[in-house]
Amino acid sequence: MAGDGQAGGDVPLLYSEGNAAARVALEREVRGWSTIELAQRVTKAGVKMNQTAVWRIENGEPRRRINLDEALALSRVFELPLEELMSPPLEGLDAGVRRLVQEAVEAYFETRDAQDRLHGAVIAIAQHIEAQPDSSRAIHEQCLRLMGEERDARTLTEYIEGGGYYQ
């Protein structure tokens, strides 16, 4: 396609519609969405699109061009910065690996949020024990009731008494 290569060569530009089309296909596949589902999501994001348009963007000869409104909607739907949507797909990462990386990133953020919640609770309980030292045994018993395993309850109790991981 004209404009997709550098002058005098076949090296693709860093940002091009061809890259965007390849990324649309890849991001859609990574999420396990059909072309119909992607079209519905783009339409819900405020830009009318149908399944045929998605297919023509990904596979058409000539490829269907993506207008700015569509690019912004696709960026929003995929939760990617527009610049990222226009960047070439990373070499060596098929849809399965990209899906695993996405899962790992989501789990990382969930874990980080859970660690922050745990830390906040641990600090508050540690402050309570500092103010009322006699409550330490009852707190351990409550941990045991909720967790069901003595080893886990003891680990959490020691963690609380140690003030968490930021101390």
Side-chain angles (χ1 to χ4, degrees), residues 63-126:
R63 189 181 315 275
R64 181 185 176 283
R65 297 187 66 108
I66 302 169
N67 70 40
L68 183 57
D69 290 338
E70 291 168 340
L72 291 170
L74 287 163
S75 176
R76 189 175 307 125
V77 164
F78 291 134
E79 297 178 341
L80 292 173
L82 186 57
E83 183 175 325
E84 179 72 14
L85 181 67
M86 296 169 43
S87 299
L90 296 172
E91 294 295 321
L93 295 183
D94 63 17
V97 173
R98 295 226 1 163
R99 190 175 296 118
L100 290 172
V101 170
Q102 182 170 345
E103 185 177 325
V105 168
E106 290 170 3
Y108 169 81
F109 286 122
E110 290 167 5
T111 301
R112 186 188 66 189
D113 292 345
Q115 287 174 332
D116 289 345
R117 281 190 13 249
L118 173 61
H119 178 69
V122 163
I123 293 301
I125 296 167

Side-chain angles (χ1 to χ4, degrees), residues 123-134:
I123 293 301
I125 296 167
Q127 290 170 346
H128 173 83
I129 291 172
E130 190 175 314
Q132 298 178 21
D134 293 341

Side-chain angles (χ1 to χ4, degrees), residues 25-37:
L26 182 65
E27 297 299 333
R28 180 183 60 75
E29 290 169 8
V30 163
R31 289 161 178 78
W33 298 344
S34 67
T35 53
I36 293 170
E37 186 173 358

Side-chain angles (χ1 to χ4, degrees), residues 41-57:
R41 287 173 182 263
V42 170
T43 299
K44 191 173 182 178
V47 177
K48 188 171 166 81
M49 184 174 281
N50 61 37
Q51 179 270 337
T52 303
V54 174
W55 188 90
R56 287 183 55 222
I57 287 167

